[in-house]
Amino acid sequence: MSDLPPYPPLDPTTYDLIIIGTGVPSSILAAAASSSGSSVLHLDPNPFYGSHFASLSLPDLASFLNSNSVSPPSTTSSSEGHDFLLSVDLVNRSLYSSVEISTFEPEILEQHSRRFNVDLCGPRVVFCADESINLMLKSGSNNYVEFKSIDASFVGGSNGELRNVPDSRAAIFKDKSLTLLEKNQLMKFFKLVQTHLSSSSTEQHDDETAAVRVSDEDMESPFNEFLSKMRLPPKIKSIILYGIAMLDYDQETCGHVLKTKEGIDRLALYITSIGRFSNALGALMYPIYGQGELSQAFCRRAAVKGCIYVLRMPVTALLLDKETGGYKGVRLASGQEIFSQKLVLDPCITVELESLSSLTDQQKETLRVLVPKAISSKGKIARGICIIRSSVKADISNALVVYPPKTLFPEQLTAIRVLQLGSGLAVCPPDMHVLYLSTVCDDDDQGKTALLSAISTLIRPQVPENLQKDSVTENDTAEAKPVVLWRALYVQELVKGEFGGSISSTSSPDGNLNYNEIVESAVKLYEQLMGNEELFKEETSQENTTEEKDGDGVELED
């Protein structure tokens, strides 16, 4: 640890809560606990905020992926510090595999390398009615981050066609890809859903409201079957299932079938997001400077409430009571021992199984959330990042594209999501775009094959200079595809957070497009840690508004 800065000893040395890692769920916990009056120490071994939710420059992102794709050599052991304490060393678990980074135009990228803010956990957007937005407004964290709207959403076809996902009545009738019959069918379906949601929000359950509600029997049926019952054609069903409800798996053949009740909830998120904020163009937004800004917003709120932050400070060991086996504190990389009542750890921190053999049953129980477990039943998520010149869709800078299962090739088992972002979001230089891709997968090869298929559909491959003229001549009648300048492919494990009493852990980034499940897990963990303590109870709505900095951002005001 000789490369660590010479930090002075921390004072105080005892806290109510120590949190390791500054990802979104950890930062929410820090802000909430600090607001409730708890003393919180928030540490991160990285030199930046966000952990696995960070936004980084290209060199930093490549360095982070490469250094976190192979678990470091184990030096785990149990040792004694104070006479009454037992020290159990910690190790980092690798969350990333099959990391492949390719640079096609190094001179251009080197010139602009520090002008990129690239997300580790993309593609990810924020719905205007997302739980993360609700929590920001409640906590006042929205004062530290600004958003802009995503311009458009599309469902992609195998021939390269991009069909609009309509987000309003006007958009449905303007859509030239839909026939008049399809427009009427889609309008009728949305009207049914909106009427059902309106009637569900009231306590009236008479015959009149029952006539406009989706029946209980239909609510328990597969969502795909309900859409068929509504006589929606395959094209419309595909838009609803994968472009609006954002499902991962093929609803015709797979075992991951969504019920209508859950499908309606997903549509409700989309519908209530449209028009929530006066200057938001549609349902989706993105934070200026990248997703890492969300973590930093909650961290800033926590700091205002007294949370102490230390970056570049790994935790090397846990301190347990020899007699009772209970948790007492941690040992920092600086050698200092810090004590707390409770501890929350980053999902990549664990202990080696070999180190447990010498521990008592009580000590093992204390450490149970850190024992390496099998990967979540949801498997893995393959992610891709491309830096491209020009846009995948002319005259549109920020757009979401979804390829439903079996769209690009017969063996495509899950939907592939693609998010394009431009320089207006301060994530890349002008005339370039950042392209994020992801798909849920069972193994690395399956996931990367799916991503490469989407990339080849959207992007023109690099062509040697002596062949470029011929290539342009062959394709001069077709819409020119963007050229890739840089590409990263990697596969991330999905690790669930867990409450373990005095020691708990947070979740890794999930495979969803939004933050709802991440926020829900953080709120649940807060309630388990703090008991009946209300979340951000002392915050007032008076300070929970943001000012537009340039007249182009989305102003959050509830």
Side-chain angles (χ1 to χ4, degrees):
M1 299 295 177
S2 59
D3 57 338
L4 288 173
Y7 278 113
L10 293 179
D11 185 29
T13 59
T14 301
Y15 300 84
D16 295 323
L17 176 64
I18 296 175
I19 303 175
I20 313 301
T22 52
V24 169
S26 301
S27 301
I28 291 173
L29 284 173
S34 298
S35 296
S36 72
S38 297
S39 58
V40 182
L41 174 63
H42 203 172
L43 306 171
D44 198 310
N46 299 297
F48 52 81
Y49 288 91
S51 296
H52 305 285
F53 295 83
S55 300
L56 304 171
S57 66
L58 294 185
D60 289 343
L61 181 128
S63 175
F64 182 87
L65 286 175
N66 287 323
S67 62
N68 285 274
S69 61
V70 178
S71 296
S74 173
T75 57
T76 305
S77 61
S78 298
S79 58
E80 297 184 8
H82 294 88
D83 291 340
F84 59 92
L85 293 179
L86 178 71
S87 172
V88 180
D89 292 342
L90 297 173
V91 294
N92 283 327
R93 170 186 182 176
S94 171
L95 295 187
Y96 305 97
S97 59
S98 299
V99 176
E100 177 188 327
I101 298 176
S102 306
T103 303
F104 302 103
E105 297 195 20
E107 297 83 5
I108 296 177
L109 292 173
E110 186 174 351
Q111 181 182 354
H112 299 287
S113 64
R114 294 292 170 181
R115 298 183 65 184
F116 290 95
N117 290 301
V118 183
D119 300 336
L120 272 168
C121 63
R124 195 173 291 276
V125 296
V126 180
F127 284 76
C128 291
D130 198 303
E131 284 301 319
S132 63
I133 295 296
N134 296 336
L135 211 56
M136 282 193 159
L137 289 165
K138 187 174 183 180
S139 67
S141 302
N142 58 300
N143 289 299
Y144 309 106
V145 62
E146 188 178 10
F147 297 87
K148 286 189 177 181
S149 295
I150 299 299
D151 302 325
S153 297
F154 304 94
V155 171
S158 57
N159 58 354
E161 175 192 10
L162 297 178
R163 301 191 302 271
N164 281 300
V165 176
D167 56 10
S168 66
R169 182 189 297 266
I172 292 175
F173 283 108
K174 287 180 181 179
D175 194 333
K176 297 180 180 179
S177 67
L178 299 175
T179 65
L180 182 59
L181 176 61
E182 290 170 337
K183 291 177 181 179
N184 288 331
Q185 289 171 321
L186 192 54
M187 283 295 301
K188 184 178 179 180
F189 175 75
F190 276 130
K191 184 176 181 180
L192 171 65
V193 173
Q194 288 176 317
T195 305
H196 172 84
L197 293 173
S198 297
S199 64
S200 299
S201 64
T202 66
E203 296 183 357
Q204 296 179 351
H205 296 288
D206 53 25
D207 293 339
E208 185 176 345
T209 58
V212 295
R213 288 170 54 88
V214 180
S215 69
D216 292 340
E217 181 181 354
D218 283 335
M219 291 291 275
E220 293 300 319
S221 68
F223 191 38
N224 185 53
E225 292 182 7
F226 176 70
L227 297 181
S228 297
K229 183 178 179 179
M230 295 292 102
R231 298 182 179 179
L232 296 176
K235 181 167 70 173
I236 300 297
K237 286 174 60 178
S238 180
I239 290 175
I240 293 172
L241 289 171
Y242 305 106
I244 298 178
M246 302 295 175
L247 299 186
D248 288 309
Y249 294 93
D250 185 357
Q251 296 299 291
E252 298 284 350
T253 60
C254 80
H256 303 267
V257 177
L258 193 78
K259 288 185 177 181
T260 299
K261 180 180 180 180
E262 297 163 331
I264 296 292
D265 288 342
R266 290 180 178 234
L267 295 187
L269 173 62
Y270 190 87
I271 291 171
T272 55
S273 292
I274 297 170
R276 181 181 185 184
F277 303 117
S278 59
N279 54 346
L281 299 179
L284 309 178
M285 305 184 295
Y286 184 87
I288 298 175
Y289 300 109
Q291 295 291 347
E293 292 297 299
L294 269 65
S295 294
Q296 293 194 58
F298 284 108
C299 287
R300 287 173 183 146
R301 195 60 184 168
V304 168
K305 295 298 182 179
C307 180
I308 296 177
Y309 279 87
V310 184
L311 300 183
R312 299 183 179 89
M313 182 57 73
V315 171
T316 60
L318 297 181
L319 304 176
L320 307 181
D321 188 294
K322 283 184 179 180
E323 293 187 6
T324 66
Y327 162 77
K328 288 297 182 181
V330 298
R331 180 176 295 131
L332 307 181
S334 63
Q336 186 178 9
E337 294 180 347
I338 305 292
F339 303 93
S340 67
Q341 296 179 18
K342 294 176 182 178
L343 173 70
V344 177
L345 292 168
D346 185 270
C348 69
I349 297 177
T350 185
V351 294
E352 291 284 2
L353 290 174
E354 292 80 2
S355 68
L356 301 177
S357 59
S358 60
L359 302 182
T360 66
D361 290 342
Q362 291 173 316
Q363 292 164 347
K364 291 177 182 178
E365 176 62 21
T366 301
L367 300 175
R368 63 183 174 83
V369 302
L370 298 181
V371 177
K373 299 177 181 65
I375 299 172
S376 154
S377 59
K378 289 187 177 180
K380 304 180 178 183
I381 179 147
R383 302 190 190 275
I385 306 170
C386 294
I387 306 299
I388 58 175
R389 186 185 289 118
S390 76
S391 171
V392 298
K393 184 73 173 177
D395 302 323
I396 293 181
S397 185
N398 309 315
L400 175 70
V401 180
V402 179
Y403 290 99
K406 298 183 179 177
T407 298
L408 299 179
F409 56 97
E411 296 79 18
Q412 181 194 340
L413 301 177
T414 56
I416 303 169
R417 300 191 186 105
V418 184
L419 178 65
Q420 176 183 277
L421 302 172
S423 59
L425 287 163
V427 297
C428 62
D431 303 321
M432 296 184 194
H433 289 83
V434 182
L435 214 62
Y436 296 103
L437 307 94
S438 74
T439 189
V440 175
C441 58
D442 294 324
D443 61 69
D444 294 19
D445 290 340
Q446 178 196 68
K448 293 178 75 172
T449 297
L451 296 187
L452 289 170
S453 178
I455 289 172
S456 64
T457 302
L458 290 168
I459 300 174
R460 178 159 44 103
Q462 285 282 340
V463 180
E465 290 186 9
N466 61 331
L467 298 178
Q468 284 184 4
K469 185 175 181 180
D470 294 338
S471 175
V472 171
T473 303
E474 288 179 13
N475 297 283
D476 58 359
T477 58
E479 184 176 347
K481 293 181 179 180
V483 177
V484 60
L485 308 178
W486 183 93
R487 186 184 76 194
L489 298 174
Y490 52 99
V491 179
Q492 178 215 305
E493 284 189 17
L494 297 174
V495 180
K496 288 287 187 181
E498 186 176 356
F499 173 70
S502 55
I503 301 178
S504 303
S505 64
T506 57
S507 300
S508 67
D510 58 23
N512 296 326
L513 192 66
N514 61 36
Y515 282 95
N516 273 4
E517 289 189 14
I518 290 172
V519 171
E520 287 170 5
S521 68
V523 171
K524 181 179 179 181
L525 183 54
Y526 171 83
E527 293 171 346
Q528 291 170 319
L529 288 169
M530 308 300 292
N532 296 323
E533 194 75 37
E534 184 183 348
L535 197 69
F536 299 115
K537 63 178 181 180
E538 67 178 64
E539 307 304 331
T540 61
S541 59
Q542 189 171 9
E543 62 178 332
N544 291 351
T545 57
T546 60
E547 297 180 359
E548 292 185 69
K549 297 179 177 61
D550 58 7
D552 194 24
V554 176
E555 182 178 3
L556 304 187
E557 187 174 12
D558 225 6

